[in-house]
Amino acid sequence: MAGASVVQSGNYELEIDTGFLQDAFTLDSATMGVLNNTEFVLDGTTNFASVMDGCNNVMIKRGRQDIGDQFSAGTMSFTMLDTTGVFNPFNEESPYWDATTEQPGLAPMRQVRFARYDTNNVKEYLFKGFIVNFDYNFALGGLDTVTVYCADDFYLLSQTYMAEFNVSEQLTSARVSAVLDLPEVAFPIGQRDISTGTQTLGGSAAFTVDNGTSVQAYLAVINQAEQGRLFMSRDGDLTFQPRLGNTLSSSVADFHDDGTNIPYSGVGISFQADQVCNRASVTIAGSNNPQVADDAGSQALYFIQTQSITDSLLHNNAAALSLANYLLEPEPTARYTSVETAFASLSNAQRDQVAVIDIGQTITIEHTFTTGATTSELAQELAVEGIEHTISVSNGHSIALFTSPTVIVFEFILDDAVYGILDAGNVLG
C-alpha cells in the first residue's frame, strides 16, 4: 500500500465533484498529500477529482438486512488525511476553493463516487451518491483528518416533496415511473431500471396523494403493495423489482467452507420465532373492511403473530386478500442470514466476482456441520438483500452480504431426466 491509503495495487478510485475545479489536482501518495499539478484527474468535461490517496478507510452500506425492513438510502463514509490543508473548509487558498460561491470543493451535496478496477482494468462502481456532511478534525501536533458522510439518491428523494397528485389505476411500476416523471421530482430517465410490476394500484379519489408527501416515503408505500425491491443500485440507478417469489436457479457466487469455490470468514444463521406471521390484515385506502388471512395450525403452535397494513395502495379487496395470504409465514425455518469474506483470502477472479454482487441477485452458501463422528454439508440458495463493503489500510477489503430465503425453481429442459418434467420445481424460462 502507498502511504496511508486504501489503494491496493492501485485498483480503487474515490472521486468528488469539486464544482469549481479547472485544472484538477491529485494528492501524491508518495509524499503523503503534497499537491502535484502535473497529474490531471478530470474525467472528460466533469469536475470529478480523485481523492483516493490519503484515504485510510471506506465503509459502504446499501440495502436492508432483513426482508421485513424497508429500503432506505445507501450510505458511504470515508476518512482522509489532510496533510496540506486542501480540504480545510476555511482554506481559501486551496485549489478546490470555489471563489464564485465562496465554498470549499469538499462541500455538502457535491457528487461522490467510489469504484474498483477489476483484473481486466474494467471500472465497476460500488457506490454513487452525494456528500451529506463532513467532520474536520484539527489535530494539534498531529495530522488533520476529515471524515465524509455520503448518501445515494434515495436521500434526495426523501428531501423532495410532491404536489397534490391525482393518480389513475395502474401497475406499481407505472406508478413509480409517474412519480419520477413529476416536474417537482424530475428523476433522470437514464438512471432508472424499472421492471414491470405484478400488482395494480388504485386510482380513485381515496388514492390521491396529498400535497407535501415525501417522494421516498410514497415510493416505499408503492413497494409495500408490490412486496418487491426498490433501491439504488451500486452504479446509481433507481431499481424497482417485482413481488418476490420463485427464482430461477442462477447463483452468481457460491460461498463454501470446504476449500472449494469462494471461501468465507463468517456466516449468520437464524431460527427465530419472530419469523412467523400467522395472521395478516390488509386494508386498502378509503376502506374500513380489512382483508384477513389466518393460519390456525400455526397459531396453535406459535400463538397469534400479526402483520397489519392499513391504507394499502392496492386497487381492490381481492388484491388485498392476496397480499395478506402472501404475507403469511406459518413456520420458522433455519436459514443462513449473512455471509462475510475478506478479499485477502480470495483469488483475483473471485475478488472480481464478489465485488460486483448487487441486491436482488442469488448466491449460494454452503456450510459444513459436525454431527458426532461424521460431517454433513448444507447448501442454500438465497437472495441478496443488503451489502456492506469495509475497506481499510489495516484490514484491506471485506464484504458482508445479507440474505433472504427464496424458492428456487429450474428452467424446463426438454428430454432431461430431472429438468424435463414440468412441475412446481421446473418452470418455463
Side-chain angles (χ1 to χ4, degrees):
M1 298 182 186
S5 169
V6 297
V7 177
Q8 297 176 344
S9 303
N11 63 338
Y12 293 94
E13 184 174 75
L14 175 61
E15 296 176 298
I16 295 173
D17 183 358
T18 60
F20 173 70
L21 203 61
Q22 299 298 319
D23 292 325
F25 293 84
T26 183
L27 293 175
D28 187 342
S29 62
T31 55
M32 295 288 293
V34 176
L35 284 175
N36 177 359
N37 61 5
T38 65
E39 295 184 35
F40 299 95
V41 292
L42 285 180
D43 181 11
T45 59
T46 70
N47 292 329
F48 279 98
S50 174
V51 294
M52 189 76 256
D53 295 334
C55 180
N56 56 23
N57 65 72
V58 179
M59 168 69 80
I60 298 171
K61 295 183 178 182
R62 297 177 42 249
R64 58 188 179 182
Q65 292 194 7
D66 186 83
I67 195 171
D69 299 336
Q70 288 287 354
F71 286 98
S72 57
T75 62
M76 179 175 72
S77 62
F78 58 92
T79 301
M80 300 184 295
L81 300 176
D82 191 16
T83 57
T84 58
V86 295
F87 296 118
N88 181 338
F90 304 113
N91 182 7
E92 297 183 15
E93 301 303 317
S94 168
Y96 301 112
W97 181 268
D98 186 341
T100 303
T101 61
E102 295 188 346
Q103 283 192 339
L106 188 65
M109 303 317 296
R110 293 288 171 82
Q111 292 186 63
V112 62
R113 56 194 190 189
F114 183 76
R116 178 182 181 275
Y117 289 85
D118 66 17
T119 52
N120 295 316
N121 206 36
V122 175
K123 185 177 184 178
E124 297 284 1
Y125 285 106
L126 303 185
F127 182 88
K128 284 186 177 182
F130 297 82
I131 295 173
V132 177
N133 66 288
F134 66 93
D135 296 332
Y136 198 96
N137 178 38
F138 294 100
L140 298 178
L143 296 176
D144 293 344
T145 60
V146 56
T147 301
V148 184
Y149 302 93
C150 313
D152 63 23
D153 279 20
F154 253 24
Y155 173 81
L156 299 183
L157 294 176
S158 71
Q159 302 300 306
T160 303
Y161 296 88
M162 303 162 62
E164 183 176 291
F165 182 31
N166 296 310
V167 297
S168 58
E169 189 169 296
Q170 58 194 159
L171 288 175
T172 49
S173 50
R175 182 70 56 84
V176 169
S177 295
V179 170
L180 299 179
D181 287 339
L182 292 172
E184 63 269 30
V185 182
F187 193 85
I189 294 178
Q191 289 180 234
R192 306 181 193 181
D193 183 8
I194 301 174
S195 300
T196 303
T198 64
Q199 304 302 305
T200 300
L201 304 183
S204 65
F207 296 92
T208 298
V209 183
D210 292 335
N211 177 62
T213 299
S214 161
V215 173
Q216 190 274 334
Y218 186 68
L219 291 176
V221 179
I222 295 174
N223 191 53
Q224 182 187 62
E226 178 66 42
Q227 291 293 310
R229 297 186 183 95
L230 182 68
F231 61 94
M232 293 293 174
S233 69
R234 60 183 176 83
D235 54 359
D237 287 348
L238 188 148
T239 304
F240 178 75
Q241 297 173 350
R243 180 168 290 189
L244 310 185
N246 292 346
T247 302
L248 279 174
S249 180
S250 56
S251 176
V252 298
D254 296 338
F255 295 88
H256 291 198
D257 67 344
D258 59 1
T260 66
N261 294 290
I262 301 171
Y264 58 83
S265 56
V267 63
I269 300 175
S270 175
F271 189 38
Q272 301 174 353
D274 62 6
Q275 296 176 352
V276 172
C277 171
N278 49 36
R279 179 179 174 83
S281 173
V282 179
T283 307
I284 64 174
S287 171
N288 58 2
N289 183 19
Q291 302 299 297
V292 178
D294 284 290
D295 189 303
S298 174
Q299 291 174 8
L301 289 173
Y302 303 107
F303 307 102
I304 297 177
Q305 301 193 52
T306 302
Q307 184 170 347
S308 177
I309 297 175
T310 58
D311 293 325
S312 171
L313 299 184
L314 290 169
H315 71 300
N316 61 24
N317 285 335
L321 182 58
S322 177
L323 174 56
N325 280 290
Y326 175 87
L327 294 173
L328 291 178
E329 292 287 346
E331 299 285 340
T333 56
R335 66 175 180 87
Y336 304 130
T337 57
S338 63
V339 64
E340 302 174 40
T341 189
F343 278 40
S345 65
L346 308 182
S347 67
N348 286 335
Q350 289 171 335
R351 292 171 188 168
D352 292 347
Q353 182 181 6
V354 170
V356 296
I357 293 173
D358 210 346
I359 297 165
Q361 293 183 317
T362 303
I363 63 171
T364 299
I365 303 174
E366 182 177 284
H367 189 63
T368 303
F369 299 91
T370 301
T371 54
T374 63
T375 60
S376 59
E377 294 180 338
L378 173 65
Q380 291 181 338
E381 289 195 53
L382 303 155
V384 175
E385 299 294 334
I387 299 170
E388 291 186 3
H389 291 274
T390 304
I391 309 168
S392 68
V393 172
S394 56
N395 297 316
H397 189 168
S398 63
I399 187 173
L401 304 172
F402 299 93
T403 65
S404 66
T406 187
V407 179
I408 300 296
V409 295
F410 300 89
E411 190 167 357
F412 178 73
I413 302 174
L414 289 173
D415 298 327
D416 187 282
V418 176
Y419 304 115
I421 301 172
L422 196 58
D423 57 15
N426 299 324
V427 301
L428 295 176

